[in-house]
Amino acid sequence: MTYQNNGNSQAFFNPYDWKAEDAQGAQRSQAFYTDGENELNSGTLAVGGAVSGNLYFEGDVVKVLYENAFIGRGSDISWDIV
């Protein structure tokens, strides 16, 4: 995952903005692995800043969903995994 701040003020990033969905429609937050490499953490980005990190999910993921964790109003964007 890479976040790039192309705006004109600081931006927030957070692994809790992401969920994975399985074929039965169950949505789960990221899993934590002690041996995970370059895990995405949370923080802020200055204007023009960028940050990259990995997200890990358990189970048979068919869709990844983005939702602003602070607003919590449902998924804003989703990607089907093929």
Side-chain angles (χ1 to χ4, degrees):
M1 177 63 49
T2 298
Y3 284 83
Q4 173 75 42
N5 184 359
N6 295 321
N8 55 10
S9 61
Q10 80 176 5
F12 297 93
F13 61 94
N14 191 329
Y16 294 108
D17 288 341
W18 299 92
K19 290 183 180 179
E21 184 174 296
D22 65 21
Q24 290 73 41
Q27 297 176 0
R28 295 182 179 85
S29 297
Q30 78 164 359
F32 292 95
Y33 293 103
T34 57
D35 61 346
E37 291 186 34
N38 192 31
E39 211 169 307
L40 181 70
N41 292 305
S42 61
T44 57
L45 283 173
V47 174
V51 65
S52 294
N54 296 327
L55 295 172
Y56 300 94
F57 298 101
E58 292 182 314
D60 188 22
V61 175
V62 297
K63 187 181 285 188
V64 177
L65 308 133
Y66 174 82
E67 170 185 315
N68 187 303
F70 293 106
I71 297 172
R73 60 178 169 79
S75 296
D76 297 321
I77 303 169
S78 67
W79 292 263
D80 291 330
I81 306 298
V82 292

